Each structure stands twice: as structure tokens, then as C-alpha cells.
Amino acid sequence: MRTRSFNLLGFIVLLLAWSCTVPEPKEIPVLEVDYYNPSHQKIWEFKDQALLDSLYLYLKAEDPTLRYLSALSFSSMDLEQNAVDSLAYLLNDPVTEVREAAAFAMGQLKHSIAEIYLTDGFERLDSLNKRTASNQKLLEAIGKCGSNKGLQALSTIRTYKASDSLLLCGQMRGIFNFGQRGMYSTESIETAIRFVSTSDYPLAARELAAHYLSRAPKKELANIDLVNLSSSQTNPNIKMALAIALGKTEKPEARKILEDYIQNETDYRIQLNAIRALGNFPYDSIHTTIVSSLRNGNEHVRRIAANQLVANGDERYAKLYYRLAKDTFPLIIKSTLLTAANKHLPSYFVDTKNAINRQLQQIVEGTFSPQSKLQAIKGLSYDRWNYRYILQQTTHHPNPAMRTAGMQAIKSICEQKDFRRFYGRNYPKVRKEIADSLKVVLMSGDDGPIYEGSSILNISELGFKRVILDNSYLDTALVNLELPKQTEAYEKLKNEISLFRTGRPAATTKPVYNHPIKWGQLEDIRNDQKIIIRTDKGEIVLKMLPELAPATVINFIELVKANFYKNNQFHRVVPNFVIQAGCPRGDGFGSLDHTIRSEFSYESYQEGMVGMASAGPDTECSQFFITHAQTPHLDGRYTIFAKVFKGMDVVHQIQQGDQIIDIEFLN
């Protein structure tokens, strides 16, 4: 009996002693991305070389940073469905950032199976808000891969309070992502309206809701009261987006609000979107407003107004456009007004038509700015008898942009539905001239004209299959293109050849790995050193973001150190969207002898973000752009690698053709 008592007492003592020494639960490691860390660099290299087996192993690494980086790598790759299964394991990871990366990557892969995993991974009983951030990313990701049922579920959530900012942002981003896939519903539109209307909701979610409405089809907005909604807004980003949506309603009250924006708003971007939106209304009702906008103090606004006359003008006002072109406008505006006159003036005004063509030809042949010449070529294309002049002036022009513009103009002429009737008995002769010229262009190895001209092969009314009896030269033209430097032209020509011969599109070839990451280049920005773009309009200072896209930053640094951007130009400017530079040709089709991999992140395109232009995943090289405003439709589709630190006023002043004097490291 004593022995039993002693043994029981001893057991209790041991139990008490053990309970006092039970170790504390392991602290969850902190995630810390370091692009100088060799282990982290290795994962970026695995992603760069598409070494999937290695990346899959790191999804189960003990170090959460390695799990995070490997999961995020999958967001920039085109992978089979089994990648979703592997990533789904991480939706229950103890580290928030790892769960977020896994959800983002699953959405990016766009496989429908991911919707089940993402829905199951959503933590509904999160009373301590430990899963709020990852829940946000799950909601966003569902929008990239979910079904109509998923859109319905997301659109009918009404339990989130104004204080649930992350969840509200996730809900609206998810709905916006559905919209990116062309998916809308009555409930999703109503939810977007509610978000914009609720002033104590997070601003980021309300802005996304406005962008969702701006991209919705007209029929979805027909019965929505956007007039009162727009009238109550003060945020410029919301106003910009709602201006586009207002135009789609085609209501007289909406037109009045847009006209008020043009006359009274001080933010030129709101004015621009209002002018664009007016294009939905009967021309008579907007004529006065558009013409008066030609004298706006902002150059972007003047250009968009002139382009609006080209796009939506009326033949009754064509002679007025011609008279306006004689006024004291900058030459680029004059050439655009001549373009509008040439497009809309009926052909029976022979003398006036001839006078317009002569003036456009004088611009092409004179010592004027390249941008005015490019516009003049476009203007000449609206008189289809100019086809021979366009070919003569542009096919062998020393400026690549003029050669490309010439082919764009010829393609525009060929795409007219009444091509055969217009030329009448001259049709066979004209068609043969164009076919012969097209052969010269396709055999030239000239990127831009090949890209623009190759689709002429498949314009049905031309019937080139009956004209081009021996099309073996097409194979030679394709082989002559250099990869990866001419990837864009190569893929386009390859596809058009396949359509021409078989009626079926060709499969896209993914660029092969060809440019290793040179990590040592990051030393140049180790201490947060900035990069300065010196332009003829002023200076733009950039902050690099290697934590988002290290390989892209390194590529940019290499090009800066090689003086690649010196005396380059901004070849593309789309007001209230982007300014773009870095094309060695000056027409947007130029590249170098290497490509780099896409590096997508869940950073969003706000005003002043710097992204890489591309012709598809993994085709990035030297061309970059800077945003004028929010552009959420670019998120997750174009690599963000820097942002404007100083000089946004200069970004807003840049016009097409403005020069980059140099890009340097800021001391």
C-alpha cells in the first residue's frame, strides 16, 4: 500500500515538473526577402530558367521566405493544372505572406480548378483577424479563375463593415478581375454602385468599383443612375473612371456632366476621359464642345479633341475641319484636322479633296516633325487613291516609324469592305500592286511593316490566294527573322501564314531562356540609389523596386550603364494612360538580341508606376512605360519594376517624339 502511494505521489510530482517545463509554442518565423541572399537568388534563377522540379521542392522548405518566393514564382509562369494542386497546400501555411503568394499565383494560373481550393481556403471564422490579409488575396484570386457562380457569390456579400477594409478591397478586386474576363451581372454592377456610393468604404475599393463600371458593357449600364452617382464624387480617380461609364449610357443628362467636366475641371485627365466619352453621343450634340476643346491650354486635351473629330466627325462639318486646319494650331493638330477633313469629306468635293491631299503630301515631304509626318500618312489613307503614293513614300523610308505607318495605312485601305467596288475595273491592277509591294515588305526583314502588313494576306475581299500562286517566299520571309530579337514580327507572320494556308491559327512559341541574371549589378542601387531620366521637358527620378522584379531591375541597370537610352525617344504617348520609351527603332517594334522573363507581383499600377512593355509573357527587353493614372487592368499582366520618386509633372508634359537625353544614376 505504501509502495503504491509512493509511486502515485512520484508520478504526480513528475507530471507537475513536466508541465512546468513544456516549451513555449514555436514563434512563427518572420519573412524577409533579400535579393542579395544567395538562397533567394537561386529561386529567382530557377524561375528564370523554368526549373519547375526545383521550385516545387522549395514550396515545402522550412524557411518561409523560400516558400514565399517559390510560390510567387508560379504567378509569372504558364503552367499545367497540377501546379494549382501544389500551391493549394500553402493556403494553410502559418505565415500570412506565404498564403497570400499562393493565392495570388493560383489566380494568375487561371485554371478553373483553383476556385474550389480558394473557396475552401477562405477562413470564415476569423474572429481574431489573423487571416484577413490572406482572405483578401483569396477573394481577389477567385475573380481570375472563378465561374459565374463565384461571381454571384462574391457580388452578394453584404456582411463586411466599412472597417473591414482589406476584405472590402479583396471583394471589389475579385469582382474587377471577373470583369477583366468579360464577366458581369446585375448583382456585380449593383455592388460596384454601392461601393462607389459608400463614402466610408476604403478609397482603394471605391476606385476599383469605378473602374469596373468604366469597363462594363453598355447594356449593363443602361438602367443605372450614373448621373447622380457621378455628381456626388470629388475624387479625381473615381471621376475619371465614371466619365467613361457616363458616356456609355448615352443619356442627355450624362452628356451635360461630361461637358461640365471639360469646361470646369482643372485635372486634364478628367477632361480627356470626358472628351473620349462624348464620342458615344450624336455628333451634332457634341460638335461645339469638341471644337472649342481644340483651344484648351493642355496639349494632351487638344490632341484628343482633334482625334475625336477624326474618329467621330461628320461629313457636314468636313469643310469646317479643313478651314480650322488653316488656323494657328501646332502642326500636329493641323495634320490631324486635315486627316479628319479627308476622312469625312464626300468624294464628290474633288477640288477640296485634292487640296487636302496636297497639303498632307507637303507635310510628308517637308522638313517637319516625324509625328506630323506620321499623322499625314494616316490622313492620306482616307483617300484610297493615295495607296501608290503611300507605298512610294514609305516602303524604303529611312525612318522605321514611317515604314511602319505606311504599312498601317495600306492595311487600313485594304480593310475597307467595299474595296473591290471602289476600284472598279482597276481592282485587279491595284490588288496586284499591293500584293507585289507586300512581298517586298515581308521579305525585307523589317519588324514593324512585317507585323502590320502580314494580316493583309488574309483579308478575304482581296482574295490573295488566287493572286499569290507561289507563296514559298513566305517561308523564306519567316526564316529570315532573327529570334528572339524579332519575336513580335515572327509570331505575327507565322500566324498569318498558317491562316493563309490552313485557315487555322498557329501556336505561339515561348521565348527560350537567353539572358542570365547578373546579380552584381544590384550593387549600383544597394543604398536606395535613384535613377534619373533627363528629358527635353525636364527630369524624372525613379526609385527601383528590386524586391518586386530583381531580374527586370538588373536588365534596366545594364542598359542604363551601356548608354542604351541615350538620345532615345518617347515613341508612344497615350494621354491619361502611359508614356513609353526604349524602342531602338522608334516605332514600338524594336528589341534587342535578348529577352527577359516576366515578373508579376500583386503591386498595383497607380499614377507614376514604371512597367515593362511586352509582346506577351517573357518577351520583355528594353521598352518601358510610365503611367499617367491608375491602370488596374494592367495589374498582374505587366512587370512593375520602379516608380516615379520625383518629376510626375514632367511625365504629364511628355509628348510623342520627346527625347530622352540620357538616363543616369543619381549621385
Side-chain angles (χ1 to χ4, degrees):
M1 189 73 181
R2 285 182 183 177
T3 303
R4 289 179 181 175
S5 298
F6 175 79
N7 287 342
L8 181 59
L9 181 62
F11 174 73
I12 293 171
V13 170
L14 287 172
L15 184 61
L16 288 171
W18 178 80
S19 65
C20 293
T21 59
V22 170
E24 291 292 323
K26 265 191 174 181
E27 187 176 339
I28 297 176
V30 176
L31 184 142
E32 187 174 353
V33 176
D34 179 7
Y35 36 86
Y36 297 107
N37 184 316
S39 297
H40 299 181
Q41 291 176 357
K42 190 173 289 295
I43 291 181
W44 275 304
E45 289 173 356
F46 288 154
K47 179 259 172 190
D48 216 41
Q49 298 173 52
L51 298 177
L52 297 180
D53 289 343
S54 299
L55 287 173
Y56 279 124
L57 288 175
Y58 275 99
L59 290 176
K60 297 185 178 181
E62 184 176 353
D63 183 344
T65 304
L66 300 181
R67 298 197 300 275
Y68 166 81
L69 289 174
S70 57
L72 200 58
S73 295
F74 287 89
S75 68
S76 304
M77 305 171 79
D78 182 16
L79 300 174
E80 299 297 328
Q81 181 177 306
N82 60 347
V84 174
D85 301 328
S86 299
L87 288 164
Y89 172 80
L90 295 180
L91 293 179
N92 289 312
D93 195 276
V95 178
T96 297
E97 293 87 347
V98 176
R99 297 195 300 272
E100 291 179 310
F104 176 67
M106 290 170 71
Q108 287 283 103
L109 292 174
K110 297 180 173 60
H111 292 299
S112 58
I113 188 66
E115 182 179 22
I116 299 172
Y117 288 122
L118 293 166
T119 303
D120 289 346
F122 188 88
E123 182 56 64
R124 293 164 176 79
L125 303 176
D126 185 29
S127 57
L128 299 178
N129 295 325
K130 291 184 177 181
R131 295 275 181 142
T132 305
S134 54
N135 276 347
Q136 175 191 4
K137 289 293 181 287
L138 288 161
L139 293 172
E140 294 177 3
I142 287 172
K144 294 183 178 181
C145 61
S147 59
N148 284 316
K149 184 178 179 180
L151 174 60
Q152 179 72 6
L154 208 56
S155 301
T156 51
I157 297 174
R158 300 184 68 93
T159 54
Y160 300 150
K161 302 174 183 177
S163 57
D164 297 324
S165 57
L166 292 180
L167 294 175
L168 287 168
C169 286
Q171 180 185 4
M172 197 60 241
R173 171 70 71 171
I175 293 172
F176 178 84
N177 288 339
F178 272 111
Q180 288 286 82
R181 299 162 56 210
M183 298 174 70
Y184 297 86
S185 67
T186 301
E187 291 78 12
S188 67
I189 295 292
E190 289 175 351
T191 299
I193 294 289
R194 175 166 58 86
F195 268 63
V196 175
S197 305
T198 309
S199 59
D200 58 347
Y201 272 14
L203 180 59
R206 296 178 63 227
E207 290 171 338
L208 269 174
H211 281 285
Y212 181 73
L213 293 171
S214 75
R215 305 181 76 82
K218 286 184 179 182
K219 63 179 182 178
E220 299 291 349
L221 301 175
N223 300 316
I224 301 298
D225 183 9
L226 288 174
V227 172
N228 287 327
L229 181 67
S230 301
S231 300
S232 63
Q233 302 306 315
T234 58
N235 177 272
N237 289 323
I238 293 177
K239 278 189 171 183
M240 278 182 249
L242 289 184
I244 300 298
L246 276 168
K248 295 179 182 180
T249 67
E250 302 179 10
K251 296 177 180 178
E253 317 90 85
R255 176 172 53 80
K256 290 179 180 179
I257 291 180
L258 294 171
E259 289 171 344
D260 180 69
Y261 283 172
I262 295 167
Q263 294 166 10
N264 299 314
E265 283 292 339
T266 56
D267 190 327
Y268 82 93
R269 299 171 302 174
I270 299 175
Q271 293 176 318
L272 282 176
N273 278 14
I275 291 172
R276 287 171 171 141
L278 284 179
N280 292 286
F281 294 87
Y283 182 77
D284 279 344
S285 68
I286 66 171
H287 170 77
T288 302
T289 301
I290 300 301
V291 170
S292 64
S293 297
L294 293 171
R295 303 188 187 281
N296 189 286
N298 183 280
E299 188 172 355
H300 288 309
V301 174
R302 292 198 298 271
R303 289 197 182 191
I304 290 299
N307 286 329
Q308 185 69 279
L309 296 178
V310 176
N312 298 298
D314 189 283
E315 65 177 35
R316 293 169 297 160
Y317 298 90
K319 285 191 174 182
L320 172 64
Y321 308 150
Y322 180 43
R323 291 197 297 272
L324 285 170
K326 299 176 182 179
D327 211 335
T328 55
F329 290 113
L331 186 59
I332 185 63
I333 302 297
K334 287 186 176 185
S335 58
T336 308
L337 289 170
L338 288 171
T339 300
N342 215 23
K343 177 180 179 180
H344 298 294
L345 188 70
S347 58
Y348 49 79
F349 289 103
V350 178
D351 291 341
T352 308
K353 199 86 168 172
N354 288 339
I356 293 170
N357 283 321
R358 281 196 300 272
Q359 290 188 37
L360 288 168
Q361 289 171 7
Q362 287 169 3
I363 295 173
V364 170
E365 297 170 28
T367 55
F368 302 110
S369 71
Q371 285 65 48
S372 298
K373 291 174 178 285
L374 295 172
Q375 182 63 54
I377 289 294
K378 180 179 180 180
L380 287 165
S381 72
Y382 288 113
D383 184 340
R384 287 179 273 181
W385 286 111
N386 287 321
Y387 77 92
R388 187 176 296 154
Y389 176 86
I390 293 170
L391 288 171
Q392 290 171 346
Q393 289 293 322
T394 64
T395 302
H396 302 290
H397 198 283
N399 184 346
M402 283 291 284
R403 300 196 297 270
T404 301
M407 249 317 95
Q408 287 174 332
I410 295 299
K411 180 174 69 173
S412 176
I413 289 172
C414 292
E415 286 174 339
Q416 297 299 314
K417 293 182 179 179
D418 61 342
F419 183 93
R420 184 167 191 156
R421 183 186 62 79
F422 178 84
Y423 290 107
R425 63 184 181 182
N426 292 299
Y427 166 73
K429 180 182 177 181
V430 173
R431 181 175 66 170
K432 187 176 186 310
E433 283 185 65
I434 292 175
D436 291 345
S437 297
L438 181 61
K439 180 177 180 179
V440 171
V441 166
L442 297 182
M443 290 293 288
S444 69
D446 197 2
D447 306 50
I450 289 174
Y451 182 92
E452 295 293 346
S454 58
S455 59
I456 296 176
L457 287 168
N458 292 296
I459 297 175
S460 58
E461 192 162 346
L462 271 63
F464 272 0
K465 286 187 178 181
R466 298 189 298 273
V467 178
I468 305 175
L469 301 179
D470 180 6
N471 61 49
S472 59
Y473 79 87
L474 295 174
D475 299 304
T476 305
L478 189 64
V479 171
N480 285 344
L481 292 173
E482 181 184 347
L483 295 176
K485 186 176 182 178
Q486 296 179 296
T487 294
E488 191 168 9
Y490 179 90
E491 290 297 327
K492 177 67 171 176
L493 179 57
K494 181 181 71 172
N495 189 61
E496 295 297 339
I497 291 173
S498 180
L499 288 170
F500 184 75
R501 290 174 174 168
T502 70
R504 297 186 298 275
T508 301
T509 305
K510 184 176 180 179
V512 297
Y513 172 70
N514 58 70
H515 193 68
I517 304 173
K518 300 174 184 177
W519 294 102
Q521 301 286 357
L522 287 177
E523 292 297 327
D524 290 295
I525 57 166
R526 179 180 278 275
N527 297 316
D528 199 28
Q529 188 173 11
K530 308 296 190 296
I531 285 179
I532 183 168
I533 304 176
R534 304 187 194 280
T535 79
D536 51 8
K537 291 287 179 66
E539 297 179 345
I540 305 166
V541 180
L542 304 183
K543 174 181 171 56
M544 296 290 104
L545 301 174
E547 65 275 16
L548 299 182
T552 305
V553 170
I554 288 169
N555 178 71
F556 188 71
I557 291 172
E558 286 184 85
L559 294 175
V560 168
K561 291 168 75 172
N563 294 319
F564 170 79
Y565 294 107
K566 193 168 187 175
N567 299 321
N568 195 253
Q569 66 170 322
F570 290 96
H571 64 273
R572 180 179 183 232
V573 174
V574 183
N576 200 20
F577 183 40
V578 299
I579 62 173
Q580 190 167 319
C583 174
R585 291 171 50 92
D587 64 351
F589 289 97
S591 187
L592 301 180
D593 58 0
H594 74 269
T595 54
I596 59 174
R597 301 300 195 186
S598 304
E599 294 181 284
F600 303 139
S601 65
Y602 34 79
E603 186 71 38
S604 184
Y605 275 97
Q606 302 293 325
E607 178 187 16
M609 301 306 286
V610 188
M612 288 298 290
S614 76
D618 301 330
T619 61
E620 295 87 342
C621 180
S622 61
Q623 294 189 41
F624 67 94
F625 60 85
I626 306 175
T627 54
H628 280 149
Q630 287 180 340
T631 51
H633 61 286
L634 302 182
D635 294 353
R637 297 171 58 203
Y638 292 87
T639 302
I640 294 176
F641 71 97
K643 63 182 178 182
V644 174
F645 180 77
K646 183 181 179 183
M648 268 310 298
D649 57 327
V650 177
V651 173
H652 288 298
Q653 293 176 47
I654 293 292
Q655 299 292 332
Q656 185 178 351
D658 283 344
Q659 292 292 117
I660 292 178
I661 299 168
D662 202 359
I663 301 183
E664 304 170 341
F665 294 96
L666 184 62
N667 295 325

